[in-house]
Amino acid sequence: MQGLSTMKPSNSKQQQQLSSLLVVVAAVLLLGLAGVAHGGRRLIVSRSEDEPCKKMTMYYHDIIYSGNNTANATSAAVTKPEAALSLSHWKNGTFFGLLVVFDDLVTEEQALTSEPVARAQGFYFYDKKEQYNAWMAFSLVFNSTAYTGTLNLMGADLMYEKTRDISVVGGTGDFFMSRGVATLSLVAYEGTVYFRLKMDIKLYECYVAA
């Protein structure tokens, strides 16, 4: 009986070691499956703000529908403030409460006629009474020989600032699960009908082929 009792702790210790080994094996298998789910990609995370894993510059062109430019318009106002508000807010020009939906051309160079690289599809709305200010959310939809997939961007467009940053919150295809920042700056406008933004995009999380 004494011999049997002295073997129990040894068996218990072996069982604990076996359990630990099984946990490690399970973790390895799960990580392997995760790699398969991500298409065999590996994650690169930048260690410095000055060293993004990918940089791009492109130009966003917004042509808002004015009533007589149906063929060229790429965006349209779909709401306006209530009548009680519209008088005061249209008067001071902030467009508070206005929501615009867009399907805008994005080009490699500044000219509207230059090589297209993507479409910007989403919306922005004016959200401040006292001065121009907007909030926007959109996807850059790529379908070219250079890139395929999407990048999703969102954030406050602080229009009184010379440059403003919005977040890159994800992506698909060549930009699978990308994260980063897009710096916007106004480079041209024509009244309230057209404006062009420069977008400097820096990605700090990138998935690349393993």
Side-chain angles (χ1 to χ4, degrees):
M1 294 293 292
Q2 186 176 0
L4 290 173
S5 63
T6 56
M7 288 178 63
K8 287 182 180 178
S10 177
N11 287 340
S12 177
K13 186 176 181 180
Q14 289 176 351
Q15 288 173 353
Q16 290 176 353
Q17 291 175 338
L18 180 59
S19 297
S20 299
L21 179 61
L22 289 173
V23 169
V24 172
V25 171
V28 171
L29 287 173
L30 285 173
L31 287 172
L33 289 173
V36 173
H38 291 164
R41 299 179 176 97
R42 61 185 178 89
L43 175 62
I44 296 178
V45 179
S46 299
R47 297 181 179 272
S48 168
E49 181 181 346
D50 299 324
E51 297 179 354
C53 51
K54 189 169 189 60
K55 292 196 301 183
M56 298 182 291
T57 296
M58 54 193 68
Y59 296 86
Y60 163 113
H61 304 266
D62 186 78
I63 307 172
I64 195 163
Y65 176 65
S66 63
N68 58 3
N69 62 343
T70 304
N72 296 325
T74 58
S75 66
V78 295
T79 66
K80 64 180 297 183
E82 293 292 332
L85 292 174
S86 63
L87 293 177
S88 61
H89 294 138
W90 291 121
K91 191 179 297 183
N92 66 23
T94 64
F95 300 112
F96 177 73
L98 184 71
L99 171 66
V100 176
V101 175
F102 57 85
D103 177 16
D104 287 338
L105 182 66
V106 177
T107 59
E108 187 174 6
E109 305 294 339
Q110 289 202 44
L112 182 60
T113 55
S114 63
E115 184 71 21
V117 294
R119 303 292 301 192
Q121 298 172 333
F123 65 88
Y124 58 84
F125 57 84
Y126 294 92
D127 59 354
K128 193 167 186 176
K129 294 180 181 180
E130 297 80 14
Q131 61 188 152
Y132 280 119
N133 196 74
W135 193 92
M136 63 197 317
F138 62 96
S139 295
L140 290 174
V141 182
F142 297 86
N143 187 14
S144 67
T145 55
Y147 301 113
T148 59
T150 64
L151 270 180
N152 301 316
L153 297 84
M154 62 188 294
D157 183 12
L158 307 176
M159 299 168 68
Y160 50 87
E161 299 284 352
K162 186 175 181 180
T163 63
R164 51 271 193 189
D165 292 338
I166 61 174
S167 301
V168 178
V169 297
T172 63
D174 291 338
F175 304 99
F176 176 78
M177 291 182 66
S178 294
R179 304 285 191 277
V181 172
T183 301
L184 309 181
S185 56
L186 179 67
V187 292
Y189 70 94
E190 295 177 11
T192 59
V193 178
Y194 170 79
F195 66 84
R196 179 169 70 243
L197 296 177
K198 181 182 180 182
M199 297 191 297
D200 289 312
I201 299 174
K202 296 180 180 179
L203 302 180
Y204 295 96
E205 291 185 16
C206 305
Y207 277 86
V208 298

